[in-house]
Amino acid sequence: MDTSRTFPIAAEPYEFEFTPAKCALLIIDMQRDFLEPGGFGEMLGNDVSQLRRTIGPNRLLLAAWRARGLAVIHTREGHRPDLGDLPPAKKIRGRSASCIGDTGPMGRILVRGEPGHDIIPELYPLPSEPVIDKPGKGAFWATDLHAILQNRGITQLVVTGVTTEVCVNTSVREANDRGFDCFVPSDCVGSYFPEFQEMGLRMIKAQGGIFGWVGHSTALLDVLQ
Ligand code: C5J
């Protein structure tokens, strides 16, 4: 397969011109605290099965990307152990009994180096795959992601992960403003809330693809396999 070729991929609002050699798989925040039973997300009362259904499709996509030697980048949301990068507004938001930095079911909540902050074993990064530690919802803010993508000649992103309406949407919008074309496979992104899953995807593809394209992972796999 010639990865520098362009393949039209079925998508909304219209086909996505997929050029594998120029396209990174950006997997957002598939962290134990968000996805695993007994983690912080479930402790807050969320139904983690809504996120866990994305693990299988992400595994297939990740395997196909790796098999073709294409760029894979992972992100994790979290903060320095000294919490020096945690805005006070983010810490107190929600008036929850447990907040970022406190001890949760899988170590200190959203703190780098803690078990709950790490990526789920099913999608664990290879040593060659950059892991972007981000203090915010967007993958570009206060990170070196843009430089890494530019240095590899990446112009397109397939964005997967959780949650659809928060970190996936924020990262797609940041990427779009920086000139990247983003394709979001609907089966590889998840929200705790079905209505936000639907609206999060509709917002991306609305108005002629105002932030990007939405499709299904099988359309990418058909090209890569
Ligand atoms: C992510 C969040 N990853 N919902 N974080 O979406 O706080």
Side-chain angles (χ1 to χ4, degrees), residues 28-31 34 40 51 75-77 90 100 110 134 136-137 161-170 190 192:
I28 303 286
D29 300 359
M30 292 293 275
Q31 292 163 254
F34 293 133
F40 178 53
L51 306 193
T75 72
R76 301 184 293 204
E77 180 179 353
K90 184 176 180 184
I100 296 170
L110 293 189
K134 61 186 184 63
K137 305 305 182 194
V162 299
T163 61
T164 309
E165 77 279 17
V166 184
C167 291
V168 171
N169 240 278
T170 307
Y192 296 122

Side-chain angles (χ1 to χ4, degrees), residues 28-36 74-78 106-125 131 133 162:
I28 303 286
D29 300 359
M30 292 293 275
Q31 292 163 254
R32 297 185 59 201
D33 250 337
F34 293 133
L35 283 118
E36 289 196 350
H74 306 258
T75 72
R76 301 184 293 204
E77 180 179 353
M106 293 185 183
R108 292 180 69 202
I109 297 164
L110 293 189
V111 169
R112 294 175 194 159
E114 299 290 333
H117 171 263
D118 211 353
I119 291 172
I120 56 170
E122 295 92 329
L123 299 172
Y124 210 75
V131 178
D133 277 319
V162 299

